[in-house]
Amino acid sequence: MSETEGGRLRVFLVDDHAMFRAGVRAELGAHVDVIGEAGTVPEAISKIAAGEPDVVLLDVHMPEGGGRAVLDAMRRSHPQVRFLALSVSDAAEDVIGLIRAGARGYVTKTISPDELAAAIKRVADGDAVFSPRLAGFVLDAFASRPDVPVADPELDQLTNREREVLRLLARGYAYKEIAKELYISIKTVETHVSNVLRKLQMSNRYELSRWAADRRLV
Amino acid sequence: MTIGVPDRGGVITTAVTPPTRRLVRPRDHRIIAGVAAGLAEHLGVPLLAVRIALVVLLGFSGLGLLLYAAFWAVLPQQVPTGTAPARRDVAMLLPFAAIGLGVVLLQALVFKNSVAGTVGWLIAVVAVGAGIIWHQSDPSRRGQWAGNLPQTPWLAAVVAESDRRFFLFRFVGGGVLVATGIIGVVSLYAPGGSLSAVFNGVIFALVGLLGVGVVAAPLIYRMFNQLRAEREGRIREQERAEVAAMIHDQVLHTLALIQRNSADIKEVQRLARGQERSLRNWLYKPTASPTERFAAALEQAAAEVEDTYAISVETVVVGDTECDERVAALVAAAREALVNAARHAGVQTVSLYAEVEADELSVFVRDRGAGFDIKGVEESRHGVRGSIIGRMKRHGGKAEIRSTPGEGTEVRLMLPTTRESMTAGKESAR
């Protein structure tokens, strides 16, 4: 299903649980090429640099700095490699930390194989992937509060349309259904979500920097 | 497996004392440390009389102060009862201070400030200083010191890490008092009593103190580190015991159940899901009471439906608010919608989304299941009509149900929260 530039997507797995890697490899085999896997942060950094995959599936929680350390090491040297964070935890502090470090999306490990393949495809195309809970968190973090001054409206506020899209995402709508509901094209929905991702990464809103700084990922 | 019993670090369980009248320092009625109150209670004389007697005794070479310090040092504090002790009234100290000053002045006039009297005063100062160093602490802490360093509880008292600021205050204050007293005594008995002799005395005293410090420093340092290590170890042990207890009570239990029910996939999923939820709560969430907070109430409702029907409810709540009767009705309606989805949609996952806005609470329950024809169902099914639509109407809100056979169902519940939005909502409902 996921064919770009005539070839299958090249995916790399980073997770410290070998059993989980094996499971994902088996599930994704039909959709993408899994070109390699790594169980530690240093191993991941060297293998990703060597293999140059399209998408890296990145576990949040690992020893030696977790997914965050891999992202920090790779973002500058390999900007073409896209990262999709994968975690058992839905906790906002984990998610926001990775997104702000440069991941283009976030899914939980309970995601179905088909949905995971679709998410990988979406990230490879340069779009963003939001789980319903991440959408809810973003709505919460960007809620207009009278006591918080807005430093940069372009980055620190969501447009009404973006808010609507996020609400529908949080309600469990797929992109196609959101497009239908709002009478816009799927491409427009994707643009809105990508814009939200950019704001999420760049904004200096207190709620975001607090989450990102609060907890060093382990 | 064995589970470590959490160490109740440092709490000394006092044996129940027989109801004999023991001389203690009561926690209420006290101005300074409760010595006078304790004496009065024990002797059965008026509190005021004891206080005045102590103040008057000040005149006799500071005997009152000496006695007070001695009692303070010796008497245990009353074991705390449930009720909080009355705050000490510092202003009450004033009249007694005035009386004391008067007595001292009178004595100075009458006895022409004898040397013996001054020595008595200085000894009293020394006694109070020492008393402060040793006995400001409450008995439970002293017990802890003794427990930490059985041979040298006094050292533990000096280096006890708890409550540093208090410790510093106690130590410096007491030290200054003791030093003043010693220097005073030395200067009084110094031959000639000249100022330079006093100065020399002070220098020697300082050198002596320094020497003691040099000798004792490594020991104190070692004790200090030992105490800290012990404290850290105890905290770690306590945490380990807590984790072990949680794993034993929940995770091992669930794993055993899963092994027993391994043939029943639905049951296994239900168990795994429930365990996952409780672990998540344990790891990430501050617990809020479902009877007080909207988000917690919704999450509890979702958890109940998950447990009962072995589905997973993807819950997202944005914002939070207090729970009242109307909010509880909204949660109940949402729960009913979840139950309907679980029973009739035939899917594994249901989405629950709730948002708290300035003037409205909204809840959306969505599934991608079988769906149904609303016109055909609304008349016959009590769940939808009574528990969802009717309940929302009764509480000033509204419910909308959108369903397409084969594509799924979405229930939208809206509850206005402000007066203006309530009336507006009613008009638009009409």
Side-chain angles (χ1 to χ4, degrees):
Chain A
M1 59 174 276
S2 37
E3 304 245 321
T4 46
E5 296 152 25
R8 303 219 306 174
L9 281 172
R10 304 167 74 244
V11 174
F12 191 90
L13 304 177
V14 182
D15 196 302
D16 54 336
H17 297 102
M19 225 164 80
F20 182 78
R21 291 202 303 270
V24 173
R25 204 184 244 278
E27 284 173 2
L28 285 180
H31 307 288
V32 300
D33 276 343
V34 179
I35 61 158
E37 52 185 74
T40 65
V41 171
E43 191 189 349
I45 291 171
S46 63
K47 283 195 180 169
I48 293 170
E52 302 235 329
D54 296 317
V55 176
V56 176
L57 280 184
L58 189 60
D59 187 20
V60 176
H61 293 279
M62 282 193 298
E64 297 173 271
R68 182 72 176 274
V70 179
L71 266 172
D72 288 343
M74 305 303 298
R75 278 308 292 163
R76 277 182 210 293
S77 54
H78 297 79
Q80 76 284 5
V81 178
R82 303 229 156 88
F83 289 85
L84 176 60
L86 194 60
S87 162
V88 289
S89 134
D90 251 348
E93 47 273 59
D94 297 348
V95 185
I96 295 304
L98 254 83
I99 297 274
R100 282 175 77 86
R104 291 208 60 86
Y106 171 85
V107 289
T108 51
K109 284 185 175 174
T110 48
I111 191 171
S112 73
D114 287 343
E115 280 180 289
L116 180 57
I120 291 172
K121 166 97 166 65
R122 186 154 278 138
V123 168
D125 289 346
D127 294 319
V129 172
F130 279 31
S131 68
R133 185 146 311 179
L134 176 57
F137 171 75
V138 176
L139 281 171
D140 218 0
F142 279 91
S144 50
R145 292 189 179 81
D147 52 326
V148 180
V150 175
D152 182 354
E154 159 63 16
L155 279 181
D156 295 345
Q157 280 176 340
L158 299 179
T159 64
N160 283 337
R161 208 52 164 176
E162 286 163 357
R163 233 173 253 284
E164 279 176 297
V165 170
L166 281 177
R167 274 199 189 111
L168 289 169
L169 270 176
R171 275 158 68 180
Y173 280 58
Y175 283 28
K176 197 176 70 191
E177 294 163 323
I178 296 173
K180 199 173 141 204
E181 179 82 17
L182 298 179
Y183 304 106
I184 52 181
S185 72
I186 294 182
K187 197 70 221 154
T188 314
V189 176
E190 287 171 346
T191 310
H192 283 310
V193 178
S194 293
N195 283 342
V196 173
L197 181 81
R198 188 174 54 86
K199 290 180 183 180
L200 195 52
Q201 287 173 338
M202 314 287 283
S203 165
N204 286 321
R205 274 188 79 110
Y206 168 70
E207 290 83 0
L208 298 175
S209 40
R210 181 173 57 110
W211 282 121
D214 242 15
R215 208 156 104 175
R216 298 302 306 166
L217 299 171
V218 282
Chain B
M1 73 178 280
T2 55
I3 301 297
V5 177
D7 177 13
R8 306 248 166 256
V11 176
I12 303 298
T13 46
T14 12
V16 180
T17 45
T20 50
R21 271 146 60 98
R22 285 191 56 200
L23 195 50
V24 292
R25 291 186 284 117
R27 292 167 70 83
D28 35 23
H29 311 302
R30 61 182 176 183
I31 298 180
I32 303 171
V35 169
L39 283 174
E41 205 171 294
H42 190 71
L43 299 173
V45 292
L47 178 54
L48 193 65
V50 177
R51 278 184 181 150
I52 288 180
L54 278 172
V55 169
V56 168
L57 280 176
L58 268 182
F60 300 91
S61 303
L63 187 57
L65 198 56
L66 209 57
L67 277 176
Y68 199 95
F71 275 119
W72 189 350
V74 174
L75 295 191
Q77 196 171 45
Q78 188 185 41
V79 179
T81 50
T83 54
R87 285 187 50 141
R88 28 183 120 186
D89 189 357
V90 184
M92 275 175 72
L93 207 53
L94 277 177
F96 293 107
I99 296 174
L101 201 64
V103 171
V104 172
L105 281 176
L106 193 72
Q107 188 214 27
L109 283 175
V110 173
F111 297 104
K112 297 281 180 221
N113 202 3
S114 68
V115 173
T118 318
V119 170
W121 270 107
L122 289 169
I123 289 174
V125 168
V126 174
V128 170
I132 287 177
I133 288 186
W134 178 221
H135 278 287
Q136 224 0 22
S137 57
D138 49 308
S140 65
R141 195 182 306 159
R142 223 179 304 147
Q144 199 179 323
W145 296 337
N148 283 343
L149 295 169
Q151 281 89 42
T152 49
W154 60 271
L155 196 57
V158 176
V159 297
E161 206 191 4
S162 58
D163 212 348
R164 264 169 216 253
R165 211 180 332 162
F166 176 61
F167 159 69
L168 205 67
F169 164 76
R170 193 156 45 88
F171 195 68
V172 170
V176 165
L177 282 178
V178 171
T180 314
I182 290 173
I183 291 165
V185 171
V186 168
S187 73
L188 269 174
Y189 287 106
S194 69
L195 207 64
S196 67
V198 174
F199 187 67
N200 281 340
V202 171
I203 299 264
F204 280 123
L206 282 179
V207 170
L209 266 179
L210 207 67
V212 171
V214 168
V215 170
L219 183 67
I220 290 180
Y221 181 73
R222 206 172 57 226
M223 293 289 182
F224 189 79
N225 276 348
Q226 208 175 325
L227 276 173
R228 199 173 50 191
E230 199 174 317
R231 213 175 87 143
E232 276 170 7
R234 208 164 49 217
I235 290 170
R236 218 172 296 136
E237 176 57 32
Q238 219 160 335
E239 268 171 11
R240 199 200 68 82
E242 202 178 304
V243 172
M246 195 278 302
I247 289 178
H248 181 258
D249 292 352
Q250 297 192 7
V251 182
L252 293 180
H253 189 71
T254 307
L255 287 176
L257 280 175
I258 284 178
Q259 285 172 35
R260 263 193 8 213
N261 295 304
S262 55
D264 183 350
I265 291 174
K266 233 174 157 64
E267 179 65 10
V268 168
Q269 275 177 344
R270 196 177 64 77
L271 286 166
R273 180 82 187 154
Q275 182 60 64
E276 184 196 340
R277 192 174 49 242
S278 84
L279 277 179
R280 259 186 217 292
N281 276 338
W282 192 77
L283 282 172
Y284 300 112
K285 262 184 217 154
T287 45
S289 161
T291 52
E292 284 165 13
R293 305 300 293 177
F294 175 56
L298 267 182
E299 269 156 23
Q300 195 197 35
E304 282 167 13
V305 174
E306 280 188 343
D307 277 349
T308 317
Y309 296 96
I311 58 160
S312 79
V313 178
E314 193 149 326
T315 311
V316 179
V317 184
V318 173
D320 201 356
T321 183
E322 296 281 317
C323 240
D324 60 17
E325 193 198 338
R326 300 176 66 234
V327 174
L330 175 65
V331 172
R335 189 182 188 286
E336 195 58 37
L338 285 172
V339 168
N340 273 337
R343 279 163 65 177
H344 304 293
V347 287
Q348 277 306 303
T349 315
V350 179
S351 298
L352 168 66
Y353 173 71
E355 188 170 355
V356 179
E357 284 165 287
D359 54 355
E360 190 178 61
L361 303 179
S362 43
V363 176
F364 302 84
V365 176
R366 181 187 152 87
D367 67 70
R368 294 160 189 280
F372 55 88
D373 186 9
I374 302 166
K375 294 217 168 63
V377 156
E378 253 190 78
E379 299 301 318
S380 59
R381 227 157 63 195
H382 176 76
V384 172
R385 268 163 61 83
S387 306
I388 301 179
I389 300 174
R391 183 181 267 140
M392 290 309 293
K393 255 186 202 148
R394 273 200 302 283
H395 289 89
K398 59 179 174 165
E400 276 173 33
I401 296 170
R402 298 210 316 189
S403 186
T404 317
E407 278 182 31
T409 308
E410 185 173 58
V411 179
R412 306 168 172 196
L413 309 171
M414 257 77 76
L415 187 71
T417 46
T418 57
R419 198 165 291 279
E420 302 86 68
S421 63
M422 261 186 244
T423 51
K426 264 184 195 143
E427 258 148 43
S428 71
R430 231 167 256 156

